[in-house]
Amino acid sequence: MLLAITSQPLAHTGLQSMSKSEFVLIEAPSNLGLRPPKPNHEPGTWGAPKALLDGGLWSALGKPEVLSLERPRYSGAGSPGSLIRNGMAIQSFSNLLSGYVLSALEQARFPLVLGGDCSVLLGCLLGARRHLGRCGLIHIDGHSDFFNPDPEVVKPPYSAAGMDLALATGRGEALLSRWPVAGDLLVQDADVLQLGEREELDPDYAYPEIANTAIERIPVREVLRGGVATTVARITHWVRIRNLSAVWLHIDVDVLDQAVLPAVDSPGSPGLDFDQLADLLAGITRLVPVVGSDVTIFDPELDPDGRQARRLASCIARGFLGKSSPSNKSPTDPRLTFSQALLADGPSGPNAEELRKLEPLIGSWDLDVVFYREDGSVAKQVAGEWHFSWVLEGRAVQDVWIVPRRSLRRSPPNTDGEYGTTIRFYDAEAKLWSSTWIGPVFRLVWPFAARASAQEILLERQDESGEQVRWIFSHLTPNSFYWRALGSTDGGNTWKLDQEMFARRAQ
């Protein structure tokens, strides 16, 4: 169903460097490519197009024509005829969307597609290929979206939003990876640049197959380290080397750091701030032959007051209108400034080798936590989460321990669990680790001396009553570990189990 929107009650922002006739905004309210965020609940990304228009994007771009696709019917379960969730529906929606993109390009207009989830990229590329033949792709995303599972190893149904780049380059199920009208593949590996992946160094999160392709890659850490101007120069050089006369620009807004935009399907850090993304888009659209773009994965259900939608709409408009000059920049979000100052990419300094003994812990973990009574019986069991990162120039490791996990916690103040942190660094003179646990709910500050080996990490302290305490990490594997807390009141002759945790790498 096609609807032409002729008026919108939106505030005018004054950004008018492009005529409204140059843009066509295409609402693609699809959530077909995502798994349910919880049982019997649809992902909220289908509402992103309207949220961004209401947030000021339509007015900021000069009130261009807006065309709307009908919202497709979503199923959280597997679908007949495909290993991909909603596979048949995604194929149908992609073909429909491609017609809208094709029509805009044939009229020499700039289609800006507002998704929805990342699977809308398939329809966008299909429309561009139908008009242009060859079309390059700049894939801006906090993840590579290069998931290409083996059905014998990973059980379906799969989510296309984490597979969009793999599908677009011809990998995976033929239903969504082979498009005869476009000459089979939507885009060749060598004509793709992936920018923004934050987990490229983590074998449990990254999709390693991408490293063996001709896809150009610029991880987000390199963007943050080199700066936006250097990144844009790299992109324009790549476009010249590839001799590309047309490029499609895909923007998954989870490339923004979760400190500034948590309202996305898969938030994370490190990432860009709004000004950095606006600068990046302004540079790319000014210097690269971008013929169209799509914006995906914003979830307005996670933005009840609309504040994030307004900031994101302003960022997108500034980027596409080239209005990202220093005089127009808003102050950097202090949460992002703090996280960038705290977090580090890896161990450094004179104790780097010793620090690497804690490398198996880096990342996020789901926990099953068991607490024991004095008589050894189980007092309670609860689900938790644990996050570890390099910090302080890579000279220390910090964690955040949350029990019960955030999805189970009541609104603050929460007094039935703990939300605390530990900082660990290596003391070369003492040849020990200094480790301090801080638990603000129960007003705890516990210093430990620790030793680390490849087999286990042992932390020890003696409290004010004279009881000896041991915390032990053991059975360390890439995807799991075991932790236990022991106490002794007789000088270490006997030990009782107070608490244990079974950790699994978070997916």
Side-chain angles (χ1 to χ4, degrees), residues 118-181:
C118 291
S119 67
V120 303
L121 172 63
L122 303 178
C124 294
L125 284 176
L126 182 59
R129 289 278 277 120
R130 289 170 63 188
H131 179 64
L132 298 164
R134 182 189 181 198
C135 183
L137 170 65
I138 296 175
H139 185 275
I140 298 178
D141 195 316
H143 312 87
S144 71
D145 286 358
F146 211 72
F147 184 46
N148 182 24
D150 181 345
E152 295 184 2
V153 177
V154 183
K155 185 179 178 181
Y158 310 126
S159 298
M163 307 170 69
D164 60 274
L165 186 52
L167 292 167
T169 54
R171 294 166 174 86
E173 192 171 302
L175 177 72
L176 298 180
S177 65
R178 303 289 170 171
W179 303 85
V181 72

Side-chain angles (χ1 to χ4, degrees), residues 44-230:
T45 55
W46 68 269
K50 183 178 186 301
L52 291 173
L53 293 174
D54 290 347
L57 182 61
W58 180 69
S59 180
L61 293 178
K63 301 182 180 180
E65 181 182 16
V66 180
L67 306 177
S68 300
L69 279 76
E70 188 173 357
R71 176 185 171 188
R73 180 172 296 182
Y74 174 86
S75 172
S79 55
S82 177
L83 298 178
I84 297 173
R85 183 181 288 106
N86 299 299
M88 299 295 289
I90 292 172
Q91 184 194 57
S92 177
F93 190 81
S94 297
N95 278 306
L96 184 63
L97 176 57
S98 75
Y100 284 61
V101 171
L102 173 63
S103 177
L105 294 174
E106 287 177 338
Q107 298 171 47
R109 302 173 75 184
F110 188 97
L112 178 54
V113 178
L114 305 178
D117 68 78
C118 291
S119 67
V120 303
L121 172 63
L122 303 178
C124 294
L125 284 176
L126 182 59
R129 289 278 277 120
R130 289 170 63 188
H131 179 64
L132 298 164
R134 182 189 181 198
C135 183
L137 170 65
I138 296 175
H139 185 275
I140 298 178
D141 195 316
H143 312 87
S144 71
D145 286 358
F146 211 72
F147 184 46
N148 182 24
D150 181 345
E152 295 184 2
V153 177
V154 183
K155 185 179 178 181
Y158 310 126
S159 298
M163 307 170 69
D164 60 274
L165 186 52
L167 292 167
T169 54
R171 294 166 174 86
E173 192 171 302
L175 177 72
L176 298 180
S177 65
R178 303 289 170 171
W179 303 85
V181 72
D184 205 17
L185 302 185
L186 294 177
V187 63
Q188 299 287 338
D189 287 359
D191 288 346
V192 177
L193 184 148
Q194 203 292 319
L195 183 150
E197 186 181 9
R198 61 174 55 98
E199 292 152 344
E200 86 285 357
L201 300 178
D202 190 333
D204 294 301
Y205 284 88
Y207 303 131
E209 185 180 350
I210 194 173
N212 300 319
T213 71
I215 294 173
E216 186 78 6
R217 300 166 69 203
I218 306 178
V220 73
R221 289 175 178 83
E222 293 184 16
V223 180
L224 296 173
R225 182 165 55 243
V228 170
T230 298

Side-chain angles (χ1 to χ4, degrees), residues 31 41 76 102 139 149 175 178 184 214 230 236 287 295 301 305 307 333 344 378 397 424 432 434 498 503:
N31 55 8
H41 187 84
L102 173 63
H139 185 275
L175 177 72
R178 303 289 170 171
D184 205 17
T230 298
T236 55
L287 299 172
V295 178
E301 286 189 356
D305 63 2
R307 182 180 307 173
D333 190 303
V378 174
V397 172
R424 308 166 177 81
L432 289 171
S434 176
D498 294 323

Side-chain angles (χ1 to χ4, degrees), residues 51 263 298-310:
F298 176 65
D299 188 342
E301 286 189 356
L302 304 177
D303 179 35
D305 63 2
R307 182 180 307 173
Q308 294 178 64
R310 291 189 291 274

Side-chain angles (χ1 to χ4, degrees), residues 338-351:
F338 178 83
S339 67
Q340 290 177 337
L342 175 67
L343 301 178
D345 290 342
S348 68
N351 301 317

